[in-house]
Amino acid sequence: MTTDVVAVPEDATYRTIVELVAERRISAVPVVDPARKVVGVVSEADLLYKVEFAGAVTHRRIFPTRRRSPREKGEGMIARELMTTPVVTAGTTTSLHAAARLMTEKGVKRLPVVTEDGTLTGIVSRADLLKVHLRTDEELKNDIRHEVLERTLWLEPLVVDVQVDNGVVTMRGHLDRRTLAELAAQLVAAVPGVVAVDDHLTYALDDTDLASSQWHRSHPFSSTGC
């Protein structure tokens, strides 16, 4: 996340926003109200509508809608008239994986990061998400061993062998339960910078079958629909 994020008020002029985008070499600017709550985003695409519709005859809507058309944005003079709403945002605790999923689902290139009350605190771009894959294999290996396997799962250092090659993690070892082995693989896959997990973990007890049989003993009529 970039914390040194620039934002503009709703009455910022078109020229001011263009100059800011060019000066800071950014692709979009969040629009905030006086309390610094995010109310919209002006992107390069929003700004280019003025170029696209230059010289076109102005048509004002009698009954304006919340979502402005490209032509209306081309006629806009201030941020309030140019911005895209509603805004797709991320929370301060949103994971990198969740942010990447959200960008893909919503088709956006950046996410303003806001606190619980909607106050702007930063911005996450696609470039920020890709930076995690610049971590070295040694950094990933140490993170997996110390943070995931030892501190989170309380495993002895030599129980699981971890090798990392270009972000691909290979794990070998023998654990006591299947659920623990599956959890280890899931947590390692979620480590920022991990590209894929080649899971060779084995286990002594398949406790998923045990849990299933215990559930059916507690719910003897569950499969009959009674």
Side-chain angles (χ1 to χ4, degrees):
M1 178 180 76
T2 300
T3 55
D4 180 24
V5 56
V6 293
V8 297
E10 294 178 77
D11 60 355
T13 65
Y14 178 91
R15 185 63 179 271
T16 297
I17 300 172
V18 170
E19 290 176 348
L20 186 60
V21 167
E23 178 185 339
R24 297 294 292 262
R25 296 182 180 180
I26 53 181
S27 61
V29 180
V31 182
V32 296
D33 66 12
R36 204 168 170 76
K37 306 289 179 61
V38 180
V39 295
V41 171
V42 177
S43 67
E44 288 177 321
D46 294 324
L47 296 170
L48 284 173
Y49 286 131
K50 187 170 290 296
V51 178
E52 179 180 349
F53 293 103
V57 178
T58 300
H59 296 283
R60 294 296 181 184
R61 286 180 179 269
I62 298 176
F63 303 104
T65 58
R66 185 182 182 189
R67 189 179 293 275
R68 296 174 181 83
S69 69
R71 181 178 289 275
E72 287 176 308
K73 289 185 179 183
E75 298 167 357
M77 298 301 294
I78 60 174
R80 186 184 302 108
E81 300 166 345
L82 298 163
M83 66 187 186
T84 295
T85 58
V87 191
V88 181
T89 62
T92 54
T93 59
T94 301
S95 68
L96 292 178
H97 296 278
R101 250 191 332 267
L102 189 57
M103 284 187 189
T104 301
E105 291 173 358
K106 300 299 183 179
V108 297
K109 297 180 180 179
R110 84 291 301 167
L111 295 171
V113 180
V114 298
T115 58
E116 290 185 2
D117 65 355
T119 303
L120 180 67
T121 186
I123 195 163
V124 174
S125 67
R126 289 178 177 177
D128 292 324
L129 296 179
L130 292 175
K131 284 178 183 177
V132 300
H133 292 294
L134 297 177
R135 301 180 68 193
T136 66
D137 289 343
E138 192 63 27
E139 288 174 329
L140 291 174
K141 186 175 181 178
N142 289 334
D143 201 357
I144 292 167
R145 280 181 170 175
H146 300 306
E147 299 300 327
V148 177
L149 300 179
E150 295 178 19
R151 295 186 181 181
T152 301
L153 298 180
W154 291 62
L155 295 175
E156 294 295 327
L158 300 180
V159 171
V160 176
D161 176 65
V162 177
Q163 299 299 325
V164 185
D165 183 16
N166 288 321
V168 178
V169 180
T170 301
M171 295 194 301
R172 290 184 173 85
H174 189 70
L175 303 180
D176 57 351
R177 292 173 289 117
R178 176 178 177 177
T179 53
L180 181 59
E182 291 179 347
L183 179 60
Q186 292 170 2
L187 292 178
V188 169
V191 172
V194 169
V195 175
V197 175
D198 189 8
D199 180 12
H200 294 280
L201 294 176
T202 59
Y203 47 85
L205 174 66
D206 186 349
D207 53 339
T208 58
D209 286 344
L210 179 62
S212 177
S213 62
Q214 290 176 338
W215 189 90
H216 282 293
R217 283 198 297 271
S218 302
H219 303 78
F221 302 109
S222 61
S223 62
T224 65
C226 299

